[in-house]
Amino acid sequence: MADGMTARETRPPDAPARYRLRIPGPAEVPERVRQAAARTVLNHRGPEFRAQLAYAEAGVRPILGTANRVMFFAASGSGMMEAALVNVVAPDAALLVVVQGQFGERFEAISRALGARVDRLDVPWGESVDPQAIADRIRHISYTAVVLVHNESSTGVVSDLAAIGAVLRDSPALLVVDTVSGLGGVEMRQDEWGIDVVVAASQKALMCPPGLGLASLSAKAWEVVNRSDRMPRFYWDFRRALSSAEKSETPFTPPVSLVGGLCEALAMIAEEGLPQVLDRHRRLSAMLRAGGQAMGLGVFPRAPMLSSTVTVFSVPEQLEGGQIVRAMYDRHRTVIAGARNRLSGRVIRIGTMGAIDEATILTDLAQLEDVLRHLGWPVAPGAGLVAATTCGID
Ligand SMILES: *Cc1c(COP(=O)(O)O)cnc(C)c1O
């Protein structure tokens, strides 16, 4: 080639052999879903694709716990967070943003970027917001919305949305929730809990590649979204998305192949049964926590509701989280996560979402044992495996 590079040099490498993607998203995509996403690309306004979009909506609804229309977008999770806000926020609106970790901070940053008046309700990282604290805040200030993350992936904490929804039920404020890393692995009952705007994305417990976002809105939310004085919006305009969704279409070209993948993932969830899927997440995350603790790692979150999709361990003081992350990759080609925030070095995070089974967790623990010992941290042989398989979770 002109610049002297060979085709061999310019083509980036594939995943290495034995590669295991064990971060809290994107999660490993099962073979069935990858095959489905590799099928013929369809006309996005043709009957075949409309049938897929309708199937995807019907499959996602029970996972969301809603009878609402579900709108799909070409977006990462953060795009959906912004979409949620541009549709409910007027230029002078006041928002109460609950910050209990990195993704709460992102919601705050997006709110500020849009020029909203932001009140921040801070929760120590690792704890979850007390619904009463929200009740106290909304008593004196009229907020357009209370904004929070359901499953905080930086800390492994789940918010008590049933209780928070009850607090907001008789208030004019909307409840806007990011369940990007929860949906499909942590229970969500949008209608029963009174959640007005729910956004999520494909690459976590929904077992798809990244790039497909979704949103579901209550009637109370639509009253606000339909006002003409909201933020400037075009691509993210939920009103336009709704009128397309009513015809099983999207306003603009959707990620057609990812919708095909999502249909397959939803079929897998339906075959296993949603209660069984949620229970598997609960069981496997408890196994991982028990195994990690038996090897001397700490469970970082102290909240009453721990995440079933993201396990966050605190690292012994003698070690550094990044060392463990690097050694897991160097020695095993297993990718786990550290933290890119104030917890950097102090925690490691492992995804327990999507297409995982007991063998996944036992492999994680065996490899962690090897890595911890390699780094000079003493672990009794098999301690994590024994604890995981005898932790009494069934
Ligand atoms: C992964 C994640 C997101 C989305 O991140 P993107 O990189 O934009 O897809 C948003 N919120 C939470 C809680 C997440 O875990």
Side-chain angles (χ1 to χ4, degrees):
M1 272 177 249
D3 62 0
M5 288 172 126
T6 66
R8 191 184 162 81
E9 280 163 339
T10 52
R11 191 189 174 292
D14 241 332
R18 297 184 296 112
Y19 186 80
R20 297 175 71 243
L21 187 60
R22 302 288 303 115
I23 57 179
E28 187 177 301
V29 177
E31 178 71 16
R32 272 177 69 176
V33 174
R34 292 197 293 125
Q35 295 284 347
R39 287 185 199 137
T40 304
V41 173
L42 299 169
N43 167 19
H44 65 297
R45 308 219 180 274
E48 302 88 357
F49 185 71
R50 278 203 298 273
Q52 286 196 357
L53 207 60
Y55 181 91
E57 182 181 38
V60 164
R61 273 180 175 155
I63 304 175
L64 283 164
T66 192
N68 296 332
R69 285 238 87 100
V70 181
M71 298 170 287
F72 293 95
F73 294 83
S76 83
S78 306
M80 295 313 300
M81 295 164 81
E82 178 162 349
L85 294 179
V86 295
N87 277 282
V88 305
V89 172
D92 63 342
L95 298 178
L96 180 62
V97 181
V98 178
V99 178
Q100 28 197 6
Q102 182 182 342
F103 289 96
E105 285 184 339
R106 184 168 302 176
F107 249 151
E108 184 197 5
I110 296 169
S111 304
R112 291 197 190 282
L114 294 175
R117 288 187 287 135
V118 178
D119 277 348
R120 175 172 166 146
L121 176 47
D122 260 298
V123 179
W125 287 30
E127 295 175 20
S128 58
V129 65
D130 178 357
Q132 187 56 45
I134 295 177
D136 293 344
R137 290 288 198 103
I138 66 168
R139 193 165 302 130
H140 305 295
I141 301 180
S142 166
Y143 292 104
T144 301
V146 174
V147 179
L148 87 161
V149 172
H150 181 203
N151 186 82
E152 178 50 75
S153 315
S154 61
T155 63
V157 162
V158 172
S159 305
D160 185 352
L161 292 180
I164 296 167
V167 163
L168 290 175
R169 194 173 297 272
D170 298 320
S171 130
L174 299 179
L175 178 53
V176 175
V177 169
D178 156 346
T179 189
V180 174
S181 64
L183 195 69
V186 175
E187 182 167 57
M188 166 57 77
R189 298 192 182 187
Q190 179 176 11
D191 295 356
E192 185 184 323
W193 295 342
I195 305 172
D196 298 300
V197 181
V198 177
V199 293
S202 52
Q203 78 270 27
K204 310 264 170 114
L206 293 178
M207 305 184 284
C208 290
L212 178 63
L214 62 90
S216 159
L217 273 66
S218 70
K220 179 176 165 186
W222 280 115
E223 270 183 37
V224 173
V225 169
N226 282 329
R227 292 180 195 154
S228 54
D229 64 346
R230 302 297 99 176
M231 286 290 165
R233 47 190 159 154
F234 183 80
Y235 184 78
W236 298 125
D237 193 333
F238 284 166
R239 296 168 299 179
R240 192 183 279 112
L242 178 66
S243 71
S244 290
E246 278 160 0
K247 298 173 284 183
S248 291
E249 284 189 14
T250 53
F252 314 108
T253 314
V256 169
S257 303
L258 298 181
V259 172
L262 180 62
C263 288
E264 193 66 24
L266 294 170
M268 290 172 67
I269 291 171
E271 285 164 23
E272 184 177 350
L274 180 60
Q276 288 76 11
V277 168
L278 299 178
D279 194 59
R280 173 169 54 79
H281 282 82
R282 188 183 58 78
R283 210 162 23 84
L284 295 175
S285 58
M287 279 179 69
L288 182 59
R289 284 194 299 269
Q293 282 181 295
M295 295 191 291
L297 302 175
V299 171
F300 175 76
R302 301 171 301 282
M305 291 163 66
L306 301 185
S307 172
S308 301
T309 55
V310 186
T311 296
V312 183
F313 288 120
S314 50
V315 167
E317 273 186 24
Q318 298 87 330
L319 299 175
E320 200 269 325
Q323 284 182 307
I324 301 175
V325 172
R326 278 190 300 280
M328 283 291 278
Y329 184 75
D330 291 344
R331 295 172 71 79
H332 300 289
R333 293 293 180 262
T334 289
V335 192
I336 65 170
R340 296 153 61 91
N341 51 47
R342 67 171 78 163
L343 299 178
S344 175
R346 291 171 45 206
V347 298
I348 56 171
R349 299 177 306 129
I350 301 177
T352 43
M353 54 177 72
I356 57 167
D357 59 15
E358 223 175 276
T360 315
I361 301 300
L362 296 180
T363 304
D364 294 337
L365 289 168
Q367 294 179 347
L368 267 176
E369 177 183 326
D370 166 72
V371 159
L372 290 171
R373 192 175 298 118
H374 172 75
L375 295 173
W377 180 255
V379 180
L385 300 174
V386 169
T389 48
T390 59
C391 69
I393 301 289
D394 49 29

